[in-house]
Amino acid sequence: SSSTTKTPVAKDTRLGRIDEEINSLSAEILGYLQHKMAEAQRSKVPPPISPPAILAKELRLAQLREERETFAEERRVSAAVSAFHEDHPRQTEDCPLCAEPIQINEWSKFAYMPCCHQMTCHGCLQLCAREEGKSCPFCKREGSVSLADEDRLATMITEADGGNKFAQLLLFQCTQGIPEFEEKRPQWLLKSAEQGYGRALFRLGMAYTDGEVAGIEACPTKARDCLRRSAELGDVDGQYNYNYALIQEGDVRASKQMLTVAAASGSHEQGCVLAQHALGVHYLCTEQDKLGSHARAKYWFELAAEHGYRKSILYVALILADSAGKRYELHGCPCYAGDASMTRAIKLARKANEACKEAGDELSVKESNILQDLEARASSYCAFCYDSDKKLMACGRCKTSHYCSKECQLSHRKIGHKLVCKK
């Protein structure tokens, strides 16, 4: 969107440096563009394409704006997470080995050892495995539950019947499909949830949602309550799934906060990466400021991709491609919205398609067509001047960018195409 004022320089040192460079580049580019537009109006011809030196500055300006949006999103996330934990303090217990606090309702942050009925942080667990090659740092033996070991299973049942919420949930999970435990499984889950264990509340919420656990009938009201309590206690999967209930109720603001807390957890739970992807979709589809919302969407999609969510790579490609050939207004003058190279976008989409195919990921119709749509779009106009009326020739190396002349191809290489073409 156009503006006639400078970007206010923030007091924050990092943000202040970004704002100062944005203002400096904007003034420099604006002076050139206004001069050329005035000349074009006098001669009554369209303004010429900016030379590579100016285009490079326009691209740098777009990068700075994206960096500013990313930093602003990081600050929003920090404030949202702090507010959430102030309203819902984390429940912690000290690790018996290192005395570091363990967040007991974030199950990926600790390990329960069924052999000794104690829990430890993952740091101590990994240290024991690395130095001694043992699974349990307490008894120095294998810590997993084996249903074939009748003595250990009996001990686990005794612990569960005695009120150990961790043993109750573990037994509920590992006895699935075994007829002799069919009656006790829902009882263990309910008892663990009654003690306010976030993971058990999440499991119970999902049981009330789908009604697939024998002895627990589907009940949307109870499902919502369990997922809410699980989310407030800090279970990341609970937070992600409770987000759906908030969306159905039309509370978009609360849904966004819940997704933010889950996405920022850094957890290995599936809910974390799904929340990161969902936030990307939120910014891509619902926010009005296209430049800003696309930068924030890209931030979350890239985080999800780093955590192994392959579909997010397709959406990063979509955002990169959407900036190709697009302009924004700098005080009424046309300016680049971002890196105009379609090459990187297409290569990313190809990589994502191959990875999803190998992993057997199911893609929606829209996701399946992203690569095909990008390739068709790239071949419809010149990658440098955006002319779609002339005969186009593909780049001989990458076969993705197309040009109407040798001059346009050389100019495009100077502003960055050569860096992505050979990769």
Side-chain angles (χ1 to χ4, degrees), residues 268-338:
H268 297 297
E269 299 171 46
Q270 187 182 33
C272 176
V273 69
L274 290 177
Q276 290 169 345
H277 184 82
L279 275 172
V281 173
H282 167 81
Y283 279 118
L284 193 62
C285 301
T286 64
E287 300 287 334
Q288 299 300 314
D289 175 17
K290 195 165 189 178
L291 282 172
S293 61
H294 276 200
R296 297 184 188 218
K298 185 168 171 276
Y299 168 78
W300 287 112
F301 285 137
E302 287 179 339
L303 272 180
E306 287 173 8
H307 285 87
Y309 198 64
R310 291 168 290 273
K311 291 183 182 181
S312 292
I313 305 175
L314 283 170
Y315 286 86
V316 173
L318 194 61
I319 292 172
L320 288 173
D322 197 52
S323 71
K326 296 293 177 68
R327 301 273 180 158
Y328 67 92
E329 295 295 312
L330 179 65
H331 299 258
C333 299
C335 187
Y336 271 111

Side-chain angles (χ1 to χ4, degrees), residues 234-252:
D235 187 89
V236 176
D237 287 335
Q239 290 165 348
Y240 175 72
N241 283 275
Y242 180 49
N243 145 72
Y244 285 112
L246 294 171
I247 289 177
Q248 290 175 353
E249 295 166 7
D251 195 343
V252 177

Side-chain angles (χ1 to χ4, degrees), residues 358-372:
E358 288 178 6
D361 295 342
E362 291 187 12
L363 299 177
S364 67
V365 174
K366 177 183 176 181
E367 292 165 344
S368 300
N369 291 334
I370 285 178
L371 176 58
Q372 183 179 349

Side-chain angles (χ1 to χ4, degrees), residues 1 8 27 60 99 162 179 184-185 191 273 286 295 302 325 327 341 351 380 383 417 422:
S1 60
R60 173 58 182 161
K184 297 206 71 173
R185 286 188 72 242
K191 287 178 180 179
V273 69
T286 64
E302 287 179 339
R327 301 273 180 158
S341 173
K351 175 184 175 182
S380 66
H417 177 70
K422 61 185 178 183

Side-chain angles (χ1 to χ4, degrees), residues 68-84 252-264 275-276 278-280 282-283 287 296-297 299-300:
R68 193 185 200 288
E69 289 295 330
T70 298
F71 186 69
E73 180 66 1
E74 289 172 348
R75 293 205 302 183
R76 183 196 70 80
V77 170
S78 178
V81 172
S82 296
F84 178 83
V252 177
R253 183 176 180 180
S255 167
K256 184 178 178 181
Q257 185 198 37
M258 195 57 63
L259 284 176
T260 298
V261 174
Q276 290 169 345
L279 275 172
H282 167 81
Y283 279 118
E287 300 287 334
R296 297 184 188 218
Y299 168 78
W300 287 112

Side-chain angles (χ1 to χ4, degrees), residues 147-268:
L147 297 180
D149 190 332
E150 295 183 0
D151 291 337
R152 294 180 67 184
L153 180 59
T155 303
M156 279 289 295
I157 293 174
T158 301
E159 280 288 319
D161 291 343
N164 187 316
K165 59 188 176 185
F166 302 113
Q168 289 165 346
L169 180 61
L170 188 57
L171 279 172
F172 165 76
Q173 294 176 159
C174 70
T175 56
Q176 182 177 359
I178 302 177
E180 63 183 285
F181 295 108
E182 185 173 334
E183 185 177 340
K184 297 206 71 173
R185 286 188 72 242
Q187 296 175 15
W188 284 326
L189 179 60
L190 287 164
K191 287 178 180 179
S192 183
E194 285 170 1
Q195 297 185 67
Y197 182 27
R199 193 61 184 175
L201 282 163
F202 162 68
R203 292 288 188 185
L204 184 58
M206 298 308 293
Y208 280 131
T209 298
D210 52 39
E212 294 181 1
V213 176
I216 299 178
E217 295 183 2
C219 177
T221 303
K222 290 182 179 181
R224 184 195 182 284
D225 182 61
C226 287
L227 291 175
R228 176 188 60 78
R229 292 168 60 198
S230 170
E232 291 174 351
L233 286 167
D235 187 89
V236 176
D237 287 335
Q239 290 165 348
Y240 175 72
N241 283 275
Y242 180 49
N243 145 72
Y244 285 112
L246 294 171
I247 289 177
Q248 290 175 353
E249 295 166 7
D251 195 343
V252 177
R253 183 176 180 180
S255 167
K256 184 178 178 181
Q257 185 198 37
M258 195 57 63
L259 284 176
T260 298
V261 174
S265 67
S267 168
H268 297 297

